[in-house]
Amino acid sequence: MPRFSKTIFLPFVVFPILIATHGFQSKNPNASWVEHILGTSWMHFLLEISLTLYIIYVSIHKMKRNSPNPLKESLEQLTEKEKENLIKEWTPEPLVPASFVQDIEMNEAHRPKVVCESKIAKYVSCNGRQYLNMSSYNFLNFVGNAQLEETAKRTIRKYGVGSCGPRGFYGTVDVHLELEEKIAKFMQCEEAILYSYGTATISSAIPAYSKRGDLIFVDDGVNFSIQQGLVVSRSNLKYFRHNDVKHLESLLEALRLQDQIALSRPRRHFLEKDDVDHPSKRRVFLVVEGLYANYGDLCPLPQLVALKKKYKFRIFLDETFSIGVIGRTGRGVTEHFDVARDDIDLYTGSLENALGSTGGFCCGSTFVIDHQRLSGLGYCFSASLPPLLAAAASTALDLVQERPELFDQLRANSEYMHKELSRLPGLSLHGLPGSPLKHLRLAVPSESRQQDADLLNRVVNHVYTNGSTLFITAKYAPAETLLPQPSIRVAVNAELTQSEMTSAVQEIASAAKEVLL
Amino acid sequence: MDELKGTMGTGRKVNGHVRHGSIERFTTTVTQTITADYCCIAAATIVTSPSSGRDDSVITNGFLSKPEKLLSNGLSNGSLHKHEVVLPDIIASSGDASLVASESRLQEEDEMSHEGSMTPTEPVDLAPAEDIADEEFEDCALYVDIITIIGYIYLHIFGYLRDFLRKLKIERSLTPQEKNNKGFVPLYNDWENFYKRNVYVRARDVVDKPICSVPGPVISVMERSTPNYGWTFKFTGHKVQCINMASYNYLGFAQPSGVCADASINTLERLGVSNVSARNDVGSQPIHVELEDLVARFVGTEAALTFGMGFATNSANIPALVDKRCAILSDAFNHASIVTGARLSGATVKVFKHNDMKDLEAKLKEMILTGHPRTRRPFKKILIIVEGIYSMEGSICKLPEIIALKKKYKAYLYLDEAHSIGALGPHGRGVVDYFGLDARDVDIMMGTFTKSFGSSGGYIAGSRALINHLRHSSGAMVYSAAMPPPIAQQIITSMKVIMGEDGTDEGARRIKQLADNTRYLRTELRRLGFIVYGSKDSPVVPLLTFNFGRGIAFARLLMQRGVAIVVVGFPVTPVRLCRARLCVSAFHTREMLETVVREIDYLGDLCRLKYSRKHGPYSKKKTKVPRLKAECDKE
């Protein structure tokens, strides 16, 4: 867009003034009608016209000289020959650097490469051996559940496998609507929206609301899909230390002071418009996880809600790991902390973890959720969830409500495992006692991250080759911006028996003793 | 007028006498179109005059009998209950109004949809390919543009007026309001939802239609009624049977029975519904390895990777390949997932005009010569991203030219075959197969399984080094749940059928049938005088309606006549290029397509959609689009 110089407006001001000040001087009755109207002679009129044209010419010329693309200008100075040579000289990097894979393979030499020949349920078989699975997010043991499988089979017989279209274009099957209704009811919200992939849910939801100029406060322990959503939104980000409410409050207080200054500043002139990040226009959000995937602890929700009321921001709560896990009946952290449902503006959850299916969902008030039906990228532009998976998730939700004792079992198992795992030699346990997701980190980390990761991989590999339990270290993509310390991730299953847990702990304890001490 | 409204309301039964009548010819085209627009937008009341009876024979003999025969196969007459709103030739299974149909009805439906689908007509000889223009993007007359813009201005004026009335509380606002959060900065800008409030809601009844059957050649759509012009919907409990021209079921593998479904159920019993773990953790199963080997073999590359969602395949892998020191050259009509991926990568993105090789070359040159616009350093890599078939344009990318350019300028090529894999080429192996090229010339082959394979998910195929790199660096590989086994099995089975590895020639037959159906529909629509975009071989058939209101009315009326299509307007397409999109499937029988063409022909006259000035009734030159040989023989 070429920028017009302000001089271009000059003739529009000067020209009428010239005419107006000239006055109707020509009283000559023989004068032409032009002279009567203009009140001046032809010569004078031509002079004014040429003056106007000159001003326009100058302003356009100036505009040309202020061309905003100096790069293009420098290109014009090159001859064709030079251009050809430059193009020939340019050698790109290879598409993928060979060193990256080599490094990874060296670092992960001891990480077991697991290919399971069976269902990835409580027990899995790899390489012909049976393992107790302590590493997949099968918290409620719904993988391999006969009821889920029966529903899925029936759905294939009715609807086939794929849905062959996005939700808007005849890809909505009645099971989707049924599931959305069920989720909304389960989460005690007005409306729910279904996505076809767990990790695409929050990364589509954040950019639907938060745009350029808006401000998001983020806990610096959030998971990868939230990080991606933040990047896509192009909003301004402010990170606070993991679960540190004091730090968040100090950031909010600083922001409030800044806002006061910005709001008290008088407008320079009448037509001035506020910038996109002016406090009167800028929306503020807080994005936190319910149960942190990378740390295994809960967010301090009551304090955050108190801050929300004081500083007026909206809370997006990612319950990917806490739905069907935390709370008396598995309804997530709001139930655990007994926080009012309406205080959280948007919940996102996943059907991929506790509920044993695939996909994700958002829920909240109709005012919030309905917007995503046209603005959620992963909702509008992706094929809908295969009906069989939606039906399976729907059955899983029924089961969750039928069997609330599952959550008591899960909590008891998690607490038992917490007690046992915290005694491991050389390892320190992170996470809440009641949460089934735990991270074992080195008690005394060394300087080198690689070395730590390698040690933990060795521990896991020792159990994998000698024992009959499957543990795995947490893996992070290179694009991860908030890299936590390397850890062994332990996921507790609700239907583990006492003896199974004891043997699993014994195996990892002996491996840790062997490798670390 | 009242009588006419009544006829529209109660549907085909009465309307049958009215509808093939010649439409009252207005004196000037402009008044005519404005009137039509008005009618289309305000309500689906279209001014028609009683017919002279000229076409009545056609209606009773050709029009009604065929679809009736076609659709009611396998349904006993006893259970057939016609209700008032739906047309008689569309079966209304409204015996019980509950949404969940009983098992017996289900089976009946299944049988029915198979009866229609399992017996495709014999492929016909086609006229030589050169007869039809390779790719066409015919422009409309100036008056159509003016009408379109007038339509939008109309919508906006009334939108502002109604917003004003809502503000004064004269009109009750049905937009959901935020209940708590008093004193917060509003969550949405006022203009952000203007379009939704005042335009989208009026057209809401033609989108988001839920179905309750397999997305096969015939679908049952759940009928909805709206008490408040599109703000909320209630299900009436009836189902409407339609010919499905909307789903991406190109090769007809979305089936509730047959090899694919059986194999998926077996796998489900063996490997479970889902594996709640990422591929890099413990989510890998032998079926994934098998699938990846098969995909690599099918596409013709060294190795492949599969992901659980097509959208995530693009949005998670593009950032793993390029970073902020690199550049992306992206086609103007690339899919939203590519745009998201490009944004996530942080690379400098430049957009070139759709399928314009000159523009691509100029931009490539400029990028190499100028380097990064901020740091002024040369780019590390340049990635060209194109799609095989563009889902809204129906055009095929000019792959040979792109490969030549890519080699000349040492850029990398990312080919998204979401719509073309399976649907294009003599062996169904996508756009590379179509042009007879080598897949190894394309650096990254991406595609989805949602469309031709009747499943879900996506793949990346390429050299072994690339795949190994992505295995460790792609977010979808490290964090997201692996592809569920029954989904993977559906792909394996259908891909083997396409490759002919199941021991039958079923796959080859389907590919041939799809090509025939595509040619038939495209030729017929062009002959009738519609503007149809895209390449002659693309199964995505965009029929330009230009005017938004007309498009919506077209879809609405076509639905009443038993054909389901998709209409897309402004936010998805440019303002003046609203279009209806038809997707051809191998399982559409010739009778179905004939019905579709006949209905579209009729509505094309009614809604005045025959814009073409090259062929059809309003063409200036009266050049005929060659008809298919078989059609000529018939006459």
Side-chain angles (χ1 to χ4, degrees):
Chain A
M1 186 74 188
R3 286 229 310 275
F4 282 95
S5 155
K6 271 182 188 158
T7 28
I8 202 156
F9 296 108
L10 204 61
F12 298 105
V13 181
V14 171
F15 194 57
I17 293 174
L18 274 175
I19 291 175
T21 50
H22 206 83
F24 291 92
Q25 288 173 350
S26 178
K27 300 279 192 292
N28 184 0
N30 297 329
S32 71
W33 61 273
V34 181
E35 283 175 355
H36 266 294
I37 292 167
L38 296 173
T40 174
S41 67
W42 272 106
M43 282 304 286
H44 186 89
F45 182 63
L46 279 177
L47 199 75
E48 281 172 356
I49 292 276
S50 49
L51 184 71
T52 316
L53 287 177
Y54 174 72
I55 294 172
I56 291 175
Y57 167 78
V58 166
S59 53
I60 287 175
H61 193 72
K62 204 175 171 193
M63 185 184 80
K64 237 186 194 171
R65 264 191 315 186
N66 289 353
S67 127
N69 195 349
L71 278 179
K72 244 184 191 160
E73 227 167 63
S74 68
L75 260 190
E76 280 163 13
Q77 293 164 3
L78 293 172
T79 62
E80 282 305 311
K81 191 83 198 264
E82 282 171 319
K83 280 184 189 175
E84 256 174 48
N85 281 340
L86 277 174
I87 289 170
K88 238 180 242 169
E89 271 169 25
W90 182 68
T91 38
E93 281 183 359
L95 182 61
V96 286
S99 58
F100 173 77
V101 175
Q102 282 167 6
D103 285 353
I104 290 264
E105 272 168 10
M106 207 177 69
N107 294 339
E108 291 184 358
H110 299 288
R111 193 173 191 259
K113 286 175 186 58
V114 185
V115 178
C116 304
E117 294 117 31
S118 66
K119 289 175 193 172
I120 305 177
K122 192 168 119 185
Y123 279 97
V124 292
S125 69
C126 315
N127 297 332
R129 284 177 60 192
Q130 189 95 346
Y131 288 99
L132 178 67
N133 183 3
M134 296 291 286
S135 45
S136 71
Y137 305 122
N138 187 13
F139 300 123
L140 298 178
N141 201 18
F142 279 169
V143 174
N145 185 301
Q147 258 170 291
L148 255 71
E149 285 180 9
E150 195 47 47
T151 323
K153 271 190 263 178
R154 245 188 299 129
T155 318
I156 295 184
R157 281 279 172 248
K158 189 177 175 191
Y159 296 114
V161 175
S163 58
C164 285
R167 287 291 298 271
F169 302 158
Y170 295 92
T172 307
V173 184
D174 52 1
V175 286
H176 292 134
L177 300 176
E178 207 179 304
L179 179 58
E180 279 180 356
E181 216 166 278
K182 259 186 198 168
I183 291 171
K185 217 171 144 201
F186 178 73
M187 293 295 292
Q188 296 155 354
C189 291
E190 284 176 15
E191 197 172 337
I193 183 170
L194 198 59
Y195 281 80
S196 49
Y197 214 33
T199 45
T201 313
I202 182 97
S203 56
S204 301
I206 294 175
Y209 302 101
S210 184
K211 313 276 181 203
R212 203 188 274 281
D214 293 337
L215 181 62
I216 310 183
F217 286 93
V218 203
D219 187 296
D220 68 2
V222 291
N223 63 34
F224 186 70
S225 43
I226 296 181
Q227 292 166 29
Q228 294 217 304
L230 298 174
V231 175
V232 178
S233 76
R234 297 196 272 200
S235 310
N236 301 325
L237 306 177
K238 276 196 179 161
Y239 288 98
F240 61 94
R241 283 191 292 277
H242 177 57
N243 272 353
D244 189 344
V245 182
K246 286 254 166 62
H247 187 204
L248 173 64
E249 191 166 7
S250 69
L251 288 177
L252 283 165
E253 193 56 42
L255 179 76
R256 198 175 60 88
L257 291 176
Q258 269 178 28
D259 284 1
Q260 271 179 354
I261 295 166
L263 283 170
S264 61
R265 190 179 67 90
R267 285 191 181 177
R268 271 180 305 195
H269 51 82
F270 178 67
L271 285 173
E272 192 188 69
K273 275 195 164 180
D274 294 333
D275 299 333
V276 275
D277 56 353
H278 191 267
S280 65
K281 281 187 173 178
R282 178 201 54 204
R283 291 156 286 211
V284 185
F285 300 96
L286 173 75
V287 180
V288 284
E289 270 185 89
L291 172 59
Y292 282 90
N294 295 342
Y295 294 92
D297 48 5
L298 302 181
C299 66
L301 202 58
Q303 288 97 303
L304 296 178
V305 170
L307 283 183
K308 167 195 170 158
K309 287 183 178 153
K310 188 173 171 197
Y311 293 100
K312 299 194 171 164
F313 53 84
R314 291 183 173 81
I315 300 183
F316 289 177
L317 181 61
D318 182 16
E319 299 220 63
T320 303
F321 290 89
S322 49
I323 294 285
V325 173
I326 302 293
R328 198 172 41 79
T329 55
R331 287 181 167 84
V333 262
T334 31
E335 191 185 40
H336 179 85
F337 287 117
D338 206 14
V339 170
R341 285 269 151 192
D342 295 345
D343 285 342
I344 310 297
D345 295 275
L346 182 83
Y347 298 89
T348 55
S350 166
L351 307 171
E352 269 162 28
N353 301 327
L355 296 175
S357 179
T358 299
F361 63 85
C362 291
C363 54
S365 63
T366 310
F367 172 75
V368 176
I369 297 297
D370 200 43
H371 184 66
Q372 282 184 48
R373 298 205 188 265
L374 282 182
S375 317
L377 289 173
Y379 177 85
C380 299
F381 296 104
S382 156
S384 57
L385 186 64
L388 77 113
L389 295 170
S394 171
T395 313
L397 270 182
D398 288 345
L399 282 179
V400 162
Q401 286 168 73
E402 275 167 29
R403 299 171 56 191
E405 76 275 5
L406 270 177
F407 300 105
D408 295 332
Q409 285 175 26
L410 184 61
R411 204 168 312 115
N413 282 357
S414 307
E415 276 161 10
Y416 177 79
M417 282 299 277
H418 193 87
K419 201 176 72 195
E420 295 294 311
L421 287 175
S422 53
R423 293 190 204 134
L424 291 184
L427 292 170
S428 73
L429 183 64
H430 292 251
L432 280 193
S435 109
L437 192 66
K438 300 176 188 309
H439 285 268
L440 285 167
R441 301 205 155 98
L442 284 181
V444 196
S446 67
E447 292 284 297
S448 146
R449 189 187 158 79
Q450 240 95 50
Q451 206 181 325
D452 290 359
D454 192 54
L455 270 178
L456 290 173
N457 278 333
R458 275 169 202 269
V459 173
V460 166
N461 201 32
H462 191 272
V463 184
Y464 183 68
T465 44
N466 301 324
S468 61
T469 315
L470 189 59
F471 287 102
I472 201 99
T473 48
K475 179 166 174 161
Y476 302 101
E480 174 98 39
T481 46
L482 311 164
L483 212 53
Q485 284 301 309
S487 63
I488 299 174
R489 195 183 52 219
V490 183
V492 181
N493 190 322
E495 296 192 347
L496 287 174
T497 60
Q498 200 78 18
S499 58
E500 281 166 345
M501 285 190 281
T502 322
S503 76
V505 172
Q506 264 169 11
E507 277 175 21
I508 195 160
S510 67
K513 212 176 277 174
E514 192 97 344
V515 177
L516 299 177
L517 301 180
Chain B
M1 191 64 192
D2 272 343
E3 189 195 307
L4 284 170
K5 266 183 189 162
T7 59
M8 292 306 288
T10 47
R12 167 89 59 90
K13 211 164 57 182
V14 194
N15 205 12
H17 303 291
V18 185
R19 56 159 206 212
H20 239 226
S22 58
I23 301 144
E24 204 169 45
R25 298 268 167 194
F26 290 87
T27 40
T28 59
T29 339
V30 177
T31 15
Q32 203 172 75
T33 21
I34 292 177
T35 320
D37 293 340
Y38 175 73
C39 297
C40 301
I41 297 166
T45 22
I46 284 174
V47 187
T48 56
S49 72
S51 81
S52 53
R54 184 167 49 87
D55 291 330
D56 273 1
S57 59
V58 186
I59 306 168
T60 41
N61 297 338
F63 217 98
L64 289 181
S65 58
K66 261 188 187 165
E68 215 158 60
K69 198 170 65 193
L70 180 90
L71 293 167
S72 62
N73 274 344
L75 259 190
S76 61
N77 276 330
S79 72
L80 208 145
H81 173 96
K82 294 169 189 166
H83 61 90
E84 294 297 301
V85 191
V86 190
L87 320 161
D89 61 339
I90 294 164
I91 300 122
S93 46
S94 57
D96 55 343
S98 64
L99 292 186
V100 186
S102 61
E103 280 300 311
S104 61
R105 160 142 299 126
L106 255 177
Q107 269 170 12
E108 275 170 9
E109 271 175 24
D110 289 348
E111 273 169 36
M112 188 215 61
S113 51
H114 283 279
E115 207 75 42
S117 56
M118 281 303 206
T119 53
T121 43
E122 281 300 301
V124 285
D125 291 336
L126 292 171
E130 302 85 61
D131 291 355
I132 317 172
D134 254 10
E135 218 165 82
E136 242 183 53
F137 291 96
E138 194 187 334
D139 211 353
C140 61
L142 182 67
Y143 86 89
V144 181
D145 271 350
I146 295 171
I147 296 306
T148 308
I149 288 163
I150 289 176
Y152 272 102
I153 292 174
Y154 164 87
L155 282 169
H156 277 81
I157 290 173
F158 273 78
Y160 283 118
L161 188 70
R162 294 184 68 179
D163 270 4
F164 182 65
L165 292 180
R166 281 180 197 129
K167 214 172 186 178
L168 296 182
K169 304 254 162 79
I170 295 173
E171 187 184 335
R172 197 157 64 89
S173 175
L174 289 161
T175 347
Q177 299 295 327
E178 195 163 23
K179 280 166 202 145
N180 38 5
N181 297 351
K182 291 260 154 56
F184 281 45
V185 179
L187 186 56
Y188 312 119
N189 297 338
D190 202 33
W191 54 266
E192 212 172 346
N193 281 347
F194 175 85
Y195 194 81
K196 184 179 172 185
R197 222 169 27 232
N198 296 308
V199 181
Y200 170 71
V201 164
R202 290 175 173 218
R204 215 181 213 173
D205 58 327
V206 298
V207 293
D208 281 338
K209 283 199 163 171
I211 60 171
C212 50
S213 71
V214 194
V218 177
I219 46 171
S220 10
V221 178
M222 287 159 78
E223 196 186 67
R224 301 180 296 180
S225 68
T226 167
N228 42 19
Y229 300 99
W231 285 100
T232 53
F233 287 96
K234 270 188 291 198
F235 291 105
T236 58
H238 298 309
K239 293 171 193 166
V240 185
Q241 297 274 335
C242 294
I243 298 175
N244 180 8
M245 300 301 288
S247 296
Y248 307 129
N249 186 11
Y250 298 128
L251 292 177
F253 281 111
Q255 291 167 301
S257 57
V259 248
C260 296
D262 293 348
S264 293
I265 287 181
N266 277 338
T267 309
L268 197 152
E269 279 168 0
R270 203 159 45 84
L271 295 176
V273 180
S274 177
N275 34 15
V276 290
S277 188
R279 286 291 300 284
N280 261 314
D281 293 345
V282 293
S284 288
Q285 285 168 314
I287 194 164
H288 295 121
V289 182
E290 185 191 346
L291 174 64
E292 281 162 7
D293 290 346
L294 189 69
V295 169
R297 209 143 48 80
F298 182 71
V299 178
T301 54
E302 285 175 12
L305 268 190
T306 54
F307 305 89
M309 183 200 195
F311 186 93
T313 311
N314 272 332
S315 65
N317 286 310
I318 296 173
L321 292 169
V322 285
D323 58 12
K324 61 178 191 295
R325 297 166 304 162
C326 305
I328 290 175
L329 264 168
S330 164
D331 191 286
F333 290 140
N334 271 349
H335 191 249
S337 54
I338 296 176
V339 177
T340 311
R343 205 194 272 186
L344 273 171
S345 72
T348 311
V349 183
K350 269 222 170 137
V351 175
F352 64 91
K353 284 184 202 139
H354 174 59
N355 255 351
D356 186 342
M357 291 307 117
K358 276 196 186 135
D359 193 36
L360 172 61
E361 184 165 9
K363 295 243 158 90
L364 257 175
K365 260 188 183 169
E366 195 192 312
M367 279 196 150
I368 297 172
L369 291 174
T370 56
H372 196 285
R374 290 170 69 90
T375 61
R376 308 278 171 96
R377 298 284 174 275
F379 287 114
K380 299 283 175 201
K381 300 172 221 171
I382 296 179
L383 187 66
I384 304 170
I385 307 185
V386 290
E387 284 187 46
I389 293 180
Y390 291 88
S391 62
M392 286 297 160
E393 309 302 305
S395 50
I396 299 173
C397 74
K398 295 173 179 165
L399 198 59
E401 284 103 317
I402 295 172
I403 288 182
L405 278 180
K406 163 218 132 140
K407 283 185 176 162
K408 187 176 169 194
Y409 293 99
K410 292 171 276 189
Y412 299 105
L413 179 57
Y414 185 107
L415 177 63
D416 177 344
E417 294 214 76
H419 285 266
S420 55
I421 190 78
L424 213 57
H427 310 98
R429 298 184 186 191
V431 66
V432 176
D433 185 28
Y434 177 75
F435 287 113
L437 300 167
D438 187 355
R440 274 166 292 190
D441 283 339
V442 182
D443 300 281
I444 305 124
M445 305 268 285
M446 179 268 167
T448 60
F449 302 122
T450 325
K451 280 93 186 183
S452 302
F453 304 97
S455 188
S456 175
Y459 67 82
I460 296 263
S463 65
R464 201 166 292 283
L466 169 81
I467 296 306
N468 280 339
H469 181 267
L470 287 179
R471 202 185 291 279
H472 296 293
S473 62
S474 157
M477 214 59 195
V478 179
Y479 299 100
S480 310
M483 186 185 272
I487 305 289
Q489 184 60 51
Q490 163 84 13
I491 304 160
I492 292 177
T493 327
S494 55
M495 199 175 272
K496 279 190 174 157
V497 172
I498 297 173
M499 292 164 91
E501 287 186 6
D502 62 331
T504 62
D505 61 344
E506 176 70 15
R509 204 182 54 72
R510 288 192 195 207
I511 292 166
K512 179 95 172 56
Q513 185 70 42
L514 176 65
D516 290 351
N517 285 351
T518 304
R519 292 284 299 284
Y520 173 77
L521 190 67
R522 280 186 167 267
T523 333
E524 286 297 296
L525 289 180
R526 284 219 173 122
R527 191 175 59 76
L528 289 171
F530 292 101
I531 294 186
V532 179
Y533 269 11
S535 157
K536 65 182 193 301
D537 293 314
S538 122
V540 181
V541 186
L543 189 155
L544 271 282
T545 66
F546 295 101
N547 190 304
F548 182 71
R550 286 184 193 190
I552 299 299
F554 180 63
R556 198 175 281 157
L557 293 173
L558 208 54
M559 185 75 202
Q560 286 178 9
R561 277 149 194 281
V563 182
I565 56 156
V566 165
V567 173
V568 278
F570 164 54
V572 186
T573 65
V575 175
R576 49 181 282 275
L577 299 178
C578 176
R579 64 199 64 180
R581 190 182 59 182
L582 295 90
C583 291
V584 185
S585 163
F587 266 10
H588 286 134
T589 59
R590 184 49 59 86
E591 285 105 45
M592 282 178 186
L593 291 180
E594 275 168 6
T595 320
V596 169
V597 168
R598 210 179 300 119
E599 299 287 2
I600 289 181
D601 180 24
Y602 169 63
L603 287 178
D605 282 332
L606 189 69
C607 303
R608 308 224 174 279
L609 295 176
K610 297 183 175 175
Y611 296 119
S612 178
R613 288 174 292 173
K614 281 188 186 163
H615 20 70
Y618 304 112
S619 63
K620 281 177 188 160
K621 281 187 247 162
K622 294 284 171 203
T623 47
K624 271 189 170 176
V625 172
R627 307 184 74 182
L628 300 183
K629 237 185 217 169
E631 292 295 306
C632 303
D633 290 347
K634 246 187 237 170
E635 284 172 15

